[in-house]
Amino acid sequence: MKDDGVPAATASVTGRDGRTHNYVAGVADLRTGAKVPVDAQVRIGSNTKAFTAVVVMQLVAEGKVDIEAPVDTYLPGLVRGDGIDGRNITVHQLLQHTSGLPEYGESLDLVGGRYTYTEPRDLLDLALARKADFAPGTKWAYNNTNYLLAGMIVQKLTGRPVGEAITERIIKPLGLRQTYFPAPGDMSIRGAHPQGYLKTQPDAPLLDITEVTPPPRKRGGFSLTLAGVATDQPGP
């Protein structure tokens, strides 16, 4: 908190004995000074990638995805740009962040656009307007565009929005009762939660970005950016 200037922190640790210990620090709301709930709900943001990867690997196990196949196998003709060709990028490289695809977030206004839904294809177009970062398989770089495409592959092969696929394949079977994708138009967070803050510049004041527009399921949106939509409470 001191080093990064964040107003609060929360952590949950489960030991081998199955007992869970929750820890909090700071304040949940800079305006009211409210304490951080020990059972706080939080947006999991980019941890959504882990859920997406699990569904992709399930599809691999079911024989519906060849992990070493080009992206073009499942999204033909979709991935093209300056130094970018979906025929030369594998599903494996998407999951491992070695595709060389440019980051769509570099062209996205996360703050100004947090109340506006953006189609996955429009996010992809933002990335494809940029030059490839490197040739596929030659380097590693963490990148949201990789998992945008992974989610689109899931949607294409399951015929369902990736949020629904994750819910039916992971959340429900594992009994993650407090993990969910918000309903269309629901910008709130269920249950007790700290406010979410962001600094747009190192010397800028903290901006409250707790409310964001979730992706409407019927249009196939999904959470892959730092302003993700799935939430979870640590515990069983």
Side-chain angles (χ1 to χ4, degrees):
M1 289 174 55
K2 180 180 178 181
D3 292 343
D4 296 336
V6 297
T10 177
S12 180
V13 179
T14 301
R16 292 185 178 182
D17 60 1
R19 297 179 62 185
T20 298
H21 301 273
N22 296 310
Y23 305 90
V24 298
V27 296
D29 190 323
L30 292 175
R31 182 178 59 84
T32 66
K35 294 182 179 180
V36 182
V38 295
D39 58 350
Q41 296 267 340
V42 295
R43 299 186 188 277
I44 67 171
S46 287
N47 286 328
T48 309
K49 292 182 177 70
F51 286 75
T52 304
V54 168
V55 175
V56 172
M57 294 308 295
Q58 287 177 341
L59 294 173
V60 171
E62 293 166 11
K64 297 175 181 177
V65 170
D66 178 353
I67 198 169
E68 301 300 343
V71 172
D72 233 55
T73 303
Y74 309 103
L75 302 172
L78 187 64
V79 183
R80 298 288 190 277
D82 187 355
I84 302 169
D85 192 329
R87 293 168 292 189
N88 300 325
I89 300 171
T90 67
V91 176
H92 199 170
Q93 289 167 339
L94 294 181
L95 299 185
Q96 289 197 323
H97 296 292
T98 58
S99 69
L101 287 166
E103 168 61 63
Y104 71 76
E106 296 291 336
S107 303
L108 187 66
D109 180 6
L110 291 176
V111 175
R114 67 186 184 277
Y115 301 128
T116 304
Y117 171 70
T118 304
E119 290 280 359
R121 177 57 192 269
D122 292 334
L123 294 177
L124 179 60
D125 286 344
L126 290 177
L128 296 179
R130 305 169 69 91
K131 185 178 180 180
D133 290 341
F134 51 84
T138 61
K139 296 181 181 180
W140 180 92
Y142 183 85
N143 187 300
N144 287 298
T145 306
N146 291 316
Y147 275 77
L148 176 72
L149 283 168
M152 294 175 79
I153 290 172
V154 168
Q155 179 174 308
K156 178 74 173 292
L157 296 181
T158 63
R160 309 180 70 178
V162 71
E164 291 183 11
I166 287 173
T167 298
E168 295 301 320
R169 287 171 167 265
I170 303 174
I171 294 174
K172 287 184 177 179
L174 292 182
L176 302 179
R177 296 181 300 277
Q178 292 173 299
T179 300
Y180 69 96
F181 276 76
D186 182 7
M187 294 189 293
S188 64
I189 299 176
R190 299 176 193 171
H193 62 274
Q195 297 297 102
Y197 296 96
L198 175 71
K199 273 191 176 183
T200 55
Q201 299 291 336
D203 57 347
L206 288 168
L207 178 66
D208 189 327
I209 59 166
T210 306
E211 293 190 344
V212 295
T213 300
R217 297 179 186 179
K218 66 181 182 180
R219 297 173 70 185
F222 36 93
S223 163
L224 296 170
T225 72
L226 293 177
V229 300
T231 69
D232 197 9
Q233 172 183 326

